[in-house]
């Protein structure tokens, strides 16, 4: 197995000013937020320009990086001293970070452009673009930082920006509640990440990736490395909506649809995958933690697929799909160097076809008076051909249609999983079959069949500013997977950052092996079942009650009920016990002592009545007591 290359200090060139990728969108956010209403007329154009500027810097940095020898493609440079004696703030430009930077700025810029049309009638459009810029800046800080402190600052910045974007329409109670839920659930994962970072510091004395890559082997026990891996995984589960911290993702669809495309397709939910791959040195030395990553990935890809099978809300159906696809990425990331390239490759292609479909869903909603219930759609293909064709391309890519992007990356993960653990591999194949069903169901209910529109619905194609991003994303959904995977092009490109497996996998145009045939058969069966249920048959306007499994999926596998039973209710009882102890115990002791002193003082106060005869009588009694005591002592 080939180890990652050493990190080289860099100065000059475009890479030396790659901090502009973060600075430009951050500046845009500052101008739009501080400029107030004076920027309303042109604020959205500034937001787009700043994101495109960051994309240009990313492209130029990529070109400069690829011009170097492979063993020189991990370039780091220091920006300033941050915490003296602990960490300096710097940036790391290597194949892994630049891949994410290109995805974030490229797809992010297309979403910015799409938002010009989608948010055209929103009076707070300027603020929306400010939050988009803030999010892009935070996400870039997360992936470009050369140490865990900078990563964590970006991690928290992403959490803040996602809270602001999910709850952007705060006049809707459901949106405000969804933003709070996402923020709180992510704090659980963030706590695990923070403890993991503390453990890394106390164990190795450094938080810089350059130091840790060399120090992990032989510097700590397997138990310590396992604990670090599990804590990092907990953080990844929160950000990437993996079991058991997945409950926030579907509620987060309350935000504007471009938010779903940016946060829940191309960027934030992939941060956990980045964390696991970037921390591969820990996981590779801790097989138990690595196994847990794969188990979490498989469990989540099945859970998300099951949820997607029963959702009538088009955005929530896509959210369940996102859970499932991130699960595939987690599975690949847990397989070590053999799976890293497929995991990150699937992450990149998913960013294209899932952003394409989320924006396509927004286009449909834009034409249908913001209706999200697919049972109120049907027969939209003739009136929304650009949206429909681009959406269908994304659909074919996600189900793994041969020779499209998702086929190569997902099949690579499944085939690698088969080689490591057949059970995990076949469960991943089952997930692919479920994907074929629920995504075909979405296509048939939305674009085909009979009209089920509301009386006031007059669907029409979206304006060009919204459809051109769909076209560009659909192009990436077609050919990007083959470009990355065939000939192990992407695996070799990533190798300076993540290493190479002992044997490179064989890749060819028509698939990987027997697992690919089984996957295609299940996908075809799922699509056929969806056709008979939702294409050829009448789709009722009101969802039938369904079986127990259908109810189970509609209620998100009772995730909220489970959290309530295991966390919220015990937390309430614990709070009540603490309040009782505080009121009756701590406050009772303090108040009781104060009352006792007060009562005693009140009684003693009666002795001080101001009458001389009372004081003389007291002196007499006192003197008599003293004399009596002296006589008693003298006679002993």
């Amino acid at each position: 197995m080939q180890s990652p290359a050493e990190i080289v200090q860099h100065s000059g060139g475009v890479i030396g000013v790659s901090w502009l990728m973060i600075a430009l969108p951050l500046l845009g956010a500052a101008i739009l937020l501080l400029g107030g209403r004076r920027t309303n007329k042109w604020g959205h154009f500034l937001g787009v320009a700043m994101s495109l500027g960051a994309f240009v810097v990313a492209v130029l940095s990529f070109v400069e990086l690829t011009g170097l020898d492979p063993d020189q493609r991990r370039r780091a440079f220091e920006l300033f001293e941050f915490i003296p004696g602990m960490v300096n703030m710097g940036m790391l430009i290597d194949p892994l970070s630049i891949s994410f930077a290109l995805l974030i700025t490229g797809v992010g810029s297309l979403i910015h452009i799409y938002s010009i049309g989608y948010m055209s009638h929103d009076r707070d459009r300027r603020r929306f673009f400010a939050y988009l810029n803030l999010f892009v800046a935070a996400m870039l800080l997360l992936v470009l930082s050369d140490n865990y402190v900078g990563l964590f600052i970006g991690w928290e910045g992403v959490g803040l920006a996602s809270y602001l974007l999910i709850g952007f329409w705060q006049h809707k109670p459901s949106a405000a509640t969804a933003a709070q839920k996402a923020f709180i659930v992510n704090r659980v994962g963030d706590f695990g990440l923070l403890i993991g970072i503390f453990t890394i510091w106390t164990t190795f004395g450094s938080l810089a990736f350059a130091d840790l890559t060399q120090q992990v082997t032989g510097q700590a026990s397997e138990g310590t490395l396992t604990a670090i891996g599990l804590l990092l995984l907990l953080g990844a589960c929160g950000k990437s909506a993996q079991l058991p911290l997945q409950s926030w993702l579907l509620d987060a669809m309350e935000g504007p649809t471009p938010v779903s495309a940016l946060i829940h397709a191309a960027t934030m939910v992939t941060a956990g995958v980045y964390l696991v791959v970037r921390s591969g040195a820990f996981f590779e030395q801790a097989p138990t933690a690595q196994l847990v990553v794969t188990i979490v990935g498989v469990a989540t890809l099945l859970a998300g697929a099951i949820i997607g099978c029963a959702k009538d809300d088009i955005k929530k159906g896509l959210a369940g799909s996102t859970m499932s696809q991130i699960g595939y990425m987690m599975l690949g990331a847990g397989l070590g160097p053999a799976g890293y390239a497929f995991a990150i490759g699937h992450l990149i292609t998913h960013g294209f076809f899932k952003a394409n479909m989320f924006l396509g869903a927004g286009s449909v909603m834009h034409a249908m008076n913001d209706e999200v219930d697919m049972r109120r759609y049907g027969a939209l293909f003739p009136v929304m051909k650009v949206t429909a064709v681009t959406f269908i391309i994304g659909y074919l890519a996600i189900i793994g249609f041969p020779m499209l992007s998702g086929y190569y990356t997902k099949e690579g993960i499944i085939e690698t999983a088969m080689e490591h653990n057949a059970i995990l591999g076949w469960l991943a194949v089952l997930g692919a079959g479920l994907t074929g069903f629920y995504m075909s169901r979405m296509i048939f209910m939305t674009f085909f069949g009979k009209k089920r529109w509301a009386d006031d619905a007059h669907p029409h194609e979206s304006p060009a500013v919204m459809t051109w991003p769909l076209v560009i994303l659909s192009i990436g959904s077609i050919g990007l997977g083959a470009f990355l995977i065939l000939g192990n092009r992407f695996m070799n490109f990533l190798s300076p950052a993540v290493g190479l497996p002992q044997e490179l996998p064989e890749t060819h145009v028509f698939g990987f092996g027997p697992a690919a045939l089984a996957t295609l058969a299940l996908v075809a069966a799922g699509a056929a079942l969806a056709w008979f249920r939702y294409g050829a048959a009448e789709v009722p306007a009101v969802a039938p009650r369904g079986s127990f499994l259908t109810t189970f999926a509609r209620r998100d596998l009772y995730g909220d009920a489970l959290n309530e039973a295991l966390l919220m209710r015990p937390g309430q009882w614990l709070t009540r016990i603490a309040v009782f102890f505080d009121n009756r115990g701590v406050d009772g002791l303090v108040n009781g002592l104060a009352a006792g002193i007060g009562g005693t003082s009140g009684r003693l106060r009666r002795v001080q009545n101001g009458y001389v005869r009372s004081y003389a009588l007291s002196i007499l009694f006192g003197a008599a007591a003293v004399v009596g005591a002296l006589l008693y002592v003298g006679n002993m």
Side-chain angles (χ1 to χ4, degrees):
M1 184 177 71
Q2 177 182 319
S3 300
E6 292 187 6
I7 296 176
V8 180
Q9 292 300 312
H10 184 88
S11 61
V14 179
I15 292 178
V17 295
S18 57
W19 52 268
L20 286 172
M21 281 188 272
I22 302 171
L24 288 174
L26 188 61
L27 176 63
I31 292 173
L32 294 178
L33 290 174
L34 298 177
R37 296 178 180 177
R38 290 167 291 185
T39 65
N40 278 350
K41 291 184 178 180
W42 46 267
H44 49 289
F45 293 119
L46 177 67
V48 171
M50 291 303 186
S51 183
L52 285 172
F55 176 63
V56 170
V57 177
V59 171
L60 294 176
S61 299
F62 170 76
V63 171
E64 183 174 327
L65 189 71
T66 54
L68 302 172
D69 292 334
D71 60 351
Q72 297 292 312
R73 289 180 182 173
R74 301 194 78 190
R75 318 294 291 189
F77 58 93
E78 183 179 322
L79 293 174
F80 53 87
E81 185 179 28
F82 188 55
I83 304 177
M86 184 175 182
V87 67
N88 296 327
M89 192 60 68
M91 296 183 64
L92 172 61
I93 306 298
D94 68 357
L96 180 61
S97 64
I98 201 64
S99 297
F100 272 84
L102 289 170
L103 176 68
I104 295 164
T105 57
V107 176
S109 295
L110 291 174
I111 295 171
H112 276 70
I113 294 170
Y114 176 96
S115 299
I116 293 176
Y118 190 87
M119 301 294 289
S120 60
H121 300 296
D122 196 300
R123 63 178 184 176
D124 291 323
R125 181 169 62 171
R126 167 192 55 83
R127 183 165 56 88
F128 180 77
F129 276 85
Y131 293 163
L132 287 182
N133 272 196
L134 179 63
F135 178 88
V136 169
M139 190 69 197
L140 287 168
L141 174 61
L142 190 159
V143 300
L144 294 175
S145 178
D146 69 345
N147 61 79
Y148 279 103
V149 173
L151 180 150
F152 187 75
I153 295 173
W155 192 274
E156 292 302 301
V158 164
L160 171 62
S162 67
Y163 169 79
L164 296 173
L165 286 166
I166 294 169
F168 180 76
W169 288 326
Q170 67 267 31
H171 59 275
K172 296 167 55 180
S174 57
T177 302
Q180 294 171 7
K181 184 177 182 180
F183 194 80
I184 293 170
V185 173
N186 272 273
R187 296 289 73 73
V188 178
D190 294 355
F191 179 75
L193 174 58
L194 189 61
I195 299 301
I197 292 174
F198 288 160
T199 307
I200 293 172
W201 168 255
T202 56
T203 304
F204 301 100
S206 176
L207 293 173
F209 300 141
D211 298 333
L212 294 171
T213 301
Q214 307 299 325
Q215 293 180 12
V216 170
T217 305
Q219 294 294 314
S221 66
E222 184 176 320
T224 301
L225 294 174
T226 299
I228 291 173
L230 293 178
L231 288 168
L232 295 179
L233 175 61
L234 180 60
C237 287
K239 262 315 174 271
S240 293
Q242 300 292 282
L243 294 173
L245 300 178
Q246 83 293 347
S247 61
W248 65 271
L249 182 61
L250 277 81
D251 290 343
M253 297 301 106
E254 289 291 338
T257 302
V259 174
S260 302
L262 180 64
I263 295 181
H264 310 127
T267 52
M268 185 177 107
V269 292
T270 63
V273 182
Y274 171 82
L275 177 64
V276 172
V277 174
R278 178 62 81 188
S279 306
F282 297 109
F283 289 98
E284 290 164 25
Q285 300 297 320
T288 301
Q290 205 169 35
L291 176 62
V292 174
V293 173
T294 60
I295 292 173
V296 167
V298 167
T300 306
L301 74 87
L302 289 173
I306 292 170
I307 289 172
C309 289
K311 290 296 181 183
D312 293 328
D313 183 318
I314 188 171
K315 289 177 64 178
K316 290 189 176 182
L318 290 172
S321 169
T322 297
M323 272 182 58
S324 182
Q325 298 306 308
I326 301 294
Y328 277 103
M329 299 170 207
M330 278 291 184
L331 172 60
L335 298 174
Y340 289 155
F342 294 122
I344 302 301
H346 193 55
L347 184 152
I348 293 173
T349 58
H350 177 265
F352 277 81
F353 58 68
K354 185 54 66 64
N356 173 24
M357 287 188 287
F358 263 121
L359 296 183
S363 181
V364 171
M365 292 167 57
H366 184 266
M368 297 292 288
N369 300 329
D370 290 328
E371 177 63 69
V372 296
D373 188 352
M374 292 185 290
R375 294 182 181 275
R376 300 291 182 180
Y377 293 165
L380 289 177
F381 188 97
V383 294
M384 304 185 68
K385 290 183 179 178
V386 175
T387 298
V389 170
T390 54
F391 197 103
I392 290 171
I393 290 173
Y395 150 73
L396 293 174
I398 196 173
I399 67 171
F401 192 83
M403 303 184 70
L404 268 68
S405 287
Y407 173 72
Y408 294 102
T409 54
K410 187 191 292 185
E411 288 301 332
I413 293 172
I414 293 174
E415 189 71 24
T416 307
M418 284 285 189
E419 296 174 358
H420 282 71
N421 187 309
I423 295 176
L424 295 177
W426 284 113
L427 290 175
V429 170
L430 176 61
L434 292 173
T435 304
F437 173 76
Y438 71 75
M439 288 306 305
S440 299
R441 173 181 182 268
M442 185 178 295
I443 288 292
F444 297 141
M445 292 179 70
T446 302
F447 296 108
F448 300 100
K450 297 180 180 180
K451 299 178 181 179
R452 302 181 299 276
W453 310 342
D455 293 337
D456 60 344
H458 303 285
H460 54 278
E461 188 58 88
S462 298
V465 73
M466 295 172 63
T467 55
W468 271 109
L470 299 179
V471 173
I472 296 172
L473 290 169
S474 66
I475 293 173
S477 303
I478 295 172
L480 188 57
F483 175 78
L484 294 176
I485 301 303
L486 293 182
N488 294 306
R489 183 180 287 109
F490 192 55
M491 185 172 286
N492 289 319
F493 173 71
L494 282 182
S495 61
V498 301
L500 283 175
Q502 292 180 347
E503 295 183 6
L504 295 180
E506 295 183 5
T507 60
H508 49 83
V509 174
F510 297 106
F512 291 82
L517 297 177
T519 302
L520 289 175
L522 275 180
V523 169
L529 178 60
W531 165 253
F532 285 114
R533 290 287 305 275
Y534 302 97
E538 184 94 13
V539 177
V542 178
R545 182 176 180 180
S547 65
F548 167 76
L549 290 176
T550 302
T551 304
F552 187 56
R554 285 175 181 166
R555 297 189 179 182
D556 305 338
L557 310 186
Y558 292 102
D560 288 337
L562 187 63
N563 288 337
E564 182 177 336
L566 295 180
L567 301 175
M568 193 189 83
R569 296 301 178 191
Q572 287 180 331
W573 282 107
L574 183 63
T575 302
R576 290 168 183 165
I577 292 171
V579 170
F580 178 84
F581 177 76
D582 183 60
N583 291 338
R584 301 296 178 88
V586 178
D587 287 351
L589 177 63
V590 174
N591 294 336
L593 181 62
I597 294 174
T600 303
S601 300
R603 290 177 176 82
L604 291 175
R605 186 177 61 187
R606 296 175 183 175
V607 178
Q608 305 294 326
N609 54 19
Y611 293 111
V612 175
R613 60 179 180 270
S614 298
Y615 297 155
L617 184 62
S618 299
I619 293 172
L620 176 62
F621 284 142
V626 171
V627 170
L630 291 174
L631 290 175
Y632 176 77
V633 173
N635 292 329
M636 290 181 65

